Amino acid sequence: MAKVGVMVGVAEVALTLALVCGGAAAAAVFVASYRETVVVRRLVGQLRDPARRPTTLAALRRRGDTARRTADPFRVEDAVRYAVEPLVAAGLWDEVGWFAAQVRSWSPRPTFARWLAGVEALAELHRGDVKAAEAALERVDVRGPWLLAVDAYRLALAGEGEAAMTRLGAPPERAGLAVRHQRRLTEVHALAALGRRDEARRLLESMRREDPAALTPVLRPEGPASRLAAAVLAGGAGPFRAPG
């Protein structure tokens, strides 16, 4: 029923836009919303399943190969985004790096270059190379929900909770799955770093109720909330919870 409600909501938005801006705008919103609410989430589920992962990865690579053969930079960028967004949420960082490398030599457009810098910074953070992550971010103008979330995550992992929360800022009105995922990871580490452990635990428990696999990225790379996430996964009180 929840999925039906989401799609009904999307249909209402599309109808409103059709009345105001015409059918083309409505169609664009519907396609983007369908990709976000159905396609990306489905891909994340397939990538997290070891049995289905090889087939899904092969399909994503074929999509990228087909786009590259057209020599159309917009199609290449779209194919890379299509693959990388669910790969980030699934935590498959070697694959993220592989897809990012496919467009690194294309001299991508500034908007895409900023997005790509965030992807590369995340991959470096997961490899434990903080300096390389900083270097990736320094190559571009850090702005927009995606890059700000990645930069805030870098700060949160380092235990700079206040700086991370400031960098994160207010949530954007519209954000894709990858941005929302990154913001939550940042927030839980930042809360733990600030000593706001009960809030961090509540957020972790909320994440686990939605999807137990969502806590795995809190464990690695290790940050202020990692021990607490391990305790939540184990079902214990955790080292940060006051007795009683």
Side-chain angles (χ1 to χ4, degrees):
M1 290 300 292
K3 289 184 178 178
V4 173
V6 167
M7 296 313 293
V8 169
V10 170
E12 290 174 351
V13 171
L15 176 60
T16 301
L17 277 178
L19 294 174
V20 176
C21 305
V29 169
F30 187 87
V31 168
S33 299
Y34 179 83
R35 172 166 161 171
E36 168 63 22
T37 57
V38 179
V39 177
V40 175
R41 293 176 187 277
R42 183 181 66 211
L43 286 170
V44 171
Q46 292 170 352
L47 290 166
R48 284 177 173 167
D49 182 349
R52 293 186 292 172
R53 186 181 302 151
T55 301
T56 304
L57 284 172
L60 293 174
R61 286 175 181 259
R62 284 196 302 272
R63 183 187 181 100
D65 290 341
T66 300
R68 284 194 299 278
R69 283 196 293 271
T70 68
D72 181 342
F74 292 97
R75 288 191 63 179
V76 174
E77 290 177 10
D78 183 68
V80 172
R81 283 185 186 272
Y82 182 89
V84 167
E85 287 176 358
L87 286 167
V88 166
L92 299 177
W93 295 104
D94 288 341
E95 296 296 336
V96 167
W98 185 89
F99 278 96
Q102 305 310 301
V103 291
R104 192 175 291 113
S105 61
W106 280 64
S107 298
R109 296 174 301 120
T111 300
F112 190 78
R114 288 195 297 272
W115 177 83
L116 188 63
V119 168
E120 292 179 329
L122 277 180
E124 296 297 350
L125 286 171
H126 281 78
R127 294 187 187 105
D129 194 336
V130 175
K131 293 297 183 183
E134 292 176 353
L137 292 171
E138 287 171 356
R139 291 198 295 267
V140 296
D141 179 16
V142 177
R143 57 186 172 88
W146 168 246
L147 269 187
L148 289 174
V150 173
D151 199 26
Y153 179 61
R154 175 184 64 82
L155 293 167
L157 287 177
E160 299 180 40
E162 186 173 352
M165 293 296 273
T166 299
R167 192 65 161 153
L168 199 61
E173 292 185 4
R174 295 185 63 184
L177 179 63
V179 172
R180 295 199 303 273
H181 171 77
Q182 205 56 52
R183 286 183 62 90
R184 287 206 304 182
L185 291 179
T186 300
E187 186 177 357
V188 74
H189 281 299
L191 288 171
L194 288 168
R196 295 161 60 179
R197 295 161 182 170
D198 286 342
E199 293 175 71
R201 186 181 184 89
R202 284 195 294 271
L203 179 54
L204 287 167
E205 290 173 341
S206 173
M207 293 166 66
R208 183 180 63 170
R209 283 193 296 272
E210 292 177 16
D211 179 6
L215 294 196
T216 302
V218 186
L219 303 176
R220 295 287 184 276
E222 189 172 353
S226 297
R227 291 178 61 200
L228 182 55
V232 170
L233 281 171
F240 298 138
R241 189 164 187 175

